[in-house]
Amino acid sequence: MSGKISAYDAHGDQRKVRMKRRIFSELGGFVVYEPALLARYLDEHGLASGDVLAYFTQTEHGGAVTEEGIAVPISGVRSDYYDFAVTVGEASEEIFAQNEAKIISRGWVFHSSGTLKIAGIGYFKDMSCISEQNSLSFRVKRGRYRLEILGGYRGTNFSGAPTPLGDTSILSDTPVFHLRLTPSAEPKFSGDLETSFYF
């Protein structure tokens, strides 16, 4: 199952991106990242091999890649499988009804060169273990974005649309993260790196 959903319509306009299959919160969290930009950063700083998680948690590199919008941690997450949705645009689709989100974290930045990828944070100890089976990939138009991270439970498919082949419908007890992206020429980072996304 490829699990890839385009973020563009036939005219090249950016549109909403729907729910993807669930992945596990390895070591109690996830990383939302731009694979090409992250690979370049790691290569430029001589970090391309070894335990990338240690580099990011024990040096200034973690803060640098987060503030630049290359990699955003979602930590303090309970051990479980999570569904993810990514929406793009000023008036992007709301995944949670009013007061339904258990977690809302603002002030994050995402810099896309075409892809948004999500993997369990534990895989950053050895990134060669990241595969299509244990990660998610979304096409997102090149550019810079403000990123809001919402978490909670959702009892129906996002948008109420039929579940696409290969995707999974969301059950009422399935935890969900909604990554809401808003294009911005110069997004300002103000995310709290100490945020716990436990709910």
Side-chain angles (χ1 to χ4, degrees):
M1 167 167 93
S2 73
K4 296 196 176 184
I5 300 175
S6 173
Y8 307 92
D9 71 2
H11 304 289
D13 295 330
Q14 201 157 11
R15 299 296 184 214
K16 301 173 188 108
V17 182
R18 301 289 187 231
M19 181 268 304
K20 304 296 271 295
R21 64 179 165 77
R22 55 196 54 127
I23 56 173
F24 194 76
S25 56
E26 299 292 336
L27 283 186
F30 299 98
V31 179
V32 177
Y33 65 104
E34 212 310 332
L37 297 178
L38 180 59
R40 185 169 70 197
Y41 182 94
L42 294 174
D43 185 57
E44 288 174 355
H45 291 86
L47 308 175
S49 62
D51 185 344
V52 174
L53 181 59
Y55 297 140
F56 287 170
T57 58
Q58 299 170 14
T59 72
E60 72 284 354
H61 292 289
V65 296
T66 301
E67 289 182 24
E68 291 177 30
I70 297 171
V72 177
I74 299 178
S75 57
V77 174
R78 68 181 172 90
S79 296
D80 205 342
Y81 285 89
Y82 289 74
D83 281 313
F84 279 84
V86 176
T87 58
V88 181
E90 291 288 350
S92 62
E93 178 182 6
E94 293 299 323
I95 301 306
F96 300 107
Q98 188 174 9
N99 301 321
E100 191 178 36
K102 306 294 184 189
I103 297 285
I104 300 175
S105 184
R106 296 181 173 92
W108 304 98
V109 171
F110 185 72
H111 184 187
S112 175
S113 68
T115 302
L116 180 152
K117 196 166 183 73
I118 305 162
I121 203 167
Y123 289 112
F124 274 59
K125 293 176 75 61
D126 179 1
M127 292 187 68
S128 67
C129 294
I130 297 175
S131 69
E132 289 298 316
Q133 287 68 46
N134 59 28
S135 67
L136 303 175
S137 295
F138 296 83
R139 287 187 59 214
V140 176
K141 190 175 181 180
R142 290 176 182 267
R144 294 186 179 272
Y145 299 85
R146 294 191 314 269
L147 169 62
E148 292 177 282
I149 304 169
L150 295 83
Y153 300 91
R154 185 72 172 142
T156 60
N157 297 334
F158 299 144
S159 80
T163 306
L165 277 176
D167 281 355
T168 312
S169 60
I170 299 173
L171 304 176
S172 59
D173 61 348
T174 301
V176 178
F177 278 113
H178 174 195
L179 308 180
R180 187 161 53 194
L181 297 167
T182 304
S184 177
E186 294 184 23
K188 304 296 185 202
F189 174 81
S190 61
D192 181 359
L193 290 169
E194 301 301 315
T195 299
S196 172
F197 289 89
Y198 185 93
F199 59 87

